[in-house]
Amino acid sequence: MKAVQYRAVGAEPEVVDVPEPEPGPGQILLKVSAAGVCHSDVAVMSWPAEQLYFPLPRTLGHEGAGTVAALGAGVSGLEIGESVAVYGPWGCGLCLNCAQGKENYCLEAQKLGIFPPGLGAPGAIAEYMVVDDKRHLLPLGDLDPVTTVPLTDAGLTPYHAIKSALPRLLPGSTAVVIGAGGLGHVAIQLLRALTPARVVALDVNGEKLKLAAEVGAHETLLSDSRAAQEVKAMTGGRGANAVFDFVGAAPTVATATACAGMESDVVIVGIGGGAATVGFGATPYDCAVRAPYWGSRAELIEVFELARNGAVDVHVELFGIDETPEAYRRLHAGKINGRAVILPNG
Ligand code: NAD
Ligand code: ZN
Ligand code: ZN
């Protein structure tokens, strides 16, 4: 079968032919219907060998959806042909956090060498993929796998980030979204669906700002060194109640903390290497700065409920599996509006 692999440090991903996998006991084989392309892969593929925590080659793709193609020994409760999405941040299933569905914060995964598909385990950008346990599958029902698959990361990650900031986002509040790309354009819709906050979107790219306005941002701003002052001005000098940084680079983290108000949440989701200076006098009174990772199984169920209610509409650009390297190139160049989705089986 065809799979897209990251094969050598610093090299472009390659479309290769690999043996079709077989599901072991407890595992499920999926025929992949759609796989999303995330900027985290671009970041991982830019890391030096010392930083890379899994061996190469590895099949990419940590947003996956498919139909059940075969069941490993002992698996029941799934129909062959059933349409499912994959919960990606796999954990041990047994620790306290996993027991709460927070496998993204599994206490044992690192020790046990458990990796998410596409970020260490064989991923979704392939004709078939193996899922390690049925608890990592969510039935899609009538949801379209192509527009829903990005919700497993580009929806779940902002949802998790926003959910813990909800107490800040009361009527009259302002939420800032920095980076209106794959995650950011979903974050804007989630903020509109879940809160009465005024949503201000920042990006460096006019096309992204246009999309931000289309999906519900009340205001859009060019992300530059003046942006924080503009947010301050928009809020009568008070600053934003919550800032979500989907870039996480030094200049955006600086903007994020500079435009935050008292008792605000600054949530750094992007992995651009920036770090905030936090302390008395450096940040407004009681401003909390967090850097969360992905989301829980329960939260993914909640995100799918929102999708069923029509509250989120992911903008997708579609590619065949052979075009995956081009999709990554375009994402790297900032030329994907919304999310790139690969259709490995045409
Ligand atoms: P993307 O490329 O689709 O979107 C990034 C957006 O940021 C683009 O619209 C781009 O124009 C914009 N941007 C770039 N520089 C900017 C700047 N200086 N100011 C404002 N906007 C700027 O990427 P994505 O797939 O949405 O991922 C976003 C970030 O989130 C990446 O760093 C990714 O690695 C990270 N991520 C983190 C988690 C997590 O669990 N913490 C999960 C998924 C993705
Ligand atoms: Zn991702
Ligand atoms: Zn665990």
Side-chain angles (χ1 to χ4, degrees):
M1 68 164 189
K2 281 184 182 176
V4 176
Q5 294 194 328
Y6 181 42
R7 296 182 61 81
V9 171
E12 280 213 327
E14 265 182 71
V15 186
V16 292
D17 201 45
V18 297
E20 200 177 296
E22 281 182 23
Q27 300 181 330
I28 300 96
L29 182 73
L30 298 184
K31 182 175 184 183
V32 179
S33 29
V37 177
C38 179
H39 210 117
S40 294
D41 293 339
V42 174
V44 167
M45 290 190 281
S46 76
W47 289 347
E50 313 81 75
Q51 210 179 334
L52 198 69
Y53 58 86
F54 54 83
L56 299 181
R58 272 294 179 268
T59 299
L60 292 162
H62 56 269
E63 291 180 348
T67 52
V68 175
L71 302 176
V75 181
S76 60
L78 287 165
E79 299 290 329
I80 299 296
E82 190 174 344
S83 177
V84 293
V86 181
Y87 171 78
W90 295 352
C92 74
L94 293 173
C95 74
L96 179 64
N97 287 355
C98 283
Q100 296 173 338
K102 300 187 297 193
E103 297 202 26
N104 52 321
Y105 298 146
C106 175
L107 301 165
E108 302 293 330
Q110 204 175 358
K111 197 166 75 193
L112 296 173
I114 300 172
F115 299 113
L119 292 166
I125 310 182
E127 288 174 72
Y128 290 87
M129 76 180 288
V130 167
V131 174
D132 67 339
D133 193 288
K134 86 173 177 188
R135 74 174 188 281
H136 295 143
L137 294 177
L138 272 78
L140 280 173
D142 293 340
L143 287 173
D144 175 10
V146 176
T147 51
T148 306
V149 74
L151 294 178
T152 60
D153 177 15
L156 176 56
T157 303
Y159 184 80
H160 177 60
I162 290 165
K163 208 174 156 186
S164 50
L166 286 179
R168 313 285 199 195
L169 295 171
L170 301 173
S173 64
T174 298
V176 173
V177 171
I178 304 178
L183 272 68
H185 93 288
V186 181
I188 292 164
Q189 299 177 59
L190 294 171
L191 284 163
R192 291 302 312 271
L194 298 170
T195 81
R198 173 166 57 153
V199 179
V200 182
L202 274 61
D203 206 293
V204 287
N205 177 318
E207 287 294 308
K208 312 294 178 94
L209 289 177
K210 215 169 116 209
L211 177 62
E214 274 167 29
V215 298
H218 297 96
E219 320 267 355
T220 58
L221 282 178
L222 201 60
S223 178
D224 58 18
S225 57
R226 294 185 307 270
Q229 278 319 310
E230 291 183 52
V231 172
K232 278 278 178 73
M234 280 178 183
T235 54
R238 293 178 182 181
N241 303 83
V243 185
F244 303 93
D245 182 355
F246 296 104
V247 182
T252 58
V253 171
T255 296
T257 48
C259 71
M262 285 189 278
E263 295 190 298
S264 63
D265 274 343
V266 172
V267 191
I268 301 168
V269 178
I271 62 172
T277 305
V278 181
F280 201 91
T283 28
Y285 295 142
D286 228 342
C287 166
V289 181
R290 296 182 293 116
Y293 171 66
W294 223 328
S296 73
R297 286 172 58 208
E299 287 169 336
L300 186 55
I301 292 173
E302 291 163 18
V303 170
F304 282 8
E305 288 303 331
L306 283 169
R308 285 197 176 90
N309 295 336
V312 279
D313 178 19
V314 184
H315 285 239
V316 292
E317 288 190 31
L318 305 182
F319 296 85
I321 193 164
D322 293 328
E323 299 162 332
T324 309
E326 175 62 10
Y328 275 109
R329 252 173 254 138
R330 287 174 55 100
L331 181 64
H332 188 44
K335 289 188 177 141
I336 299 287
N337 225 7
R339 198 64 150 177
V341 172
I342 312 297
L343 307 176
N345 285 289

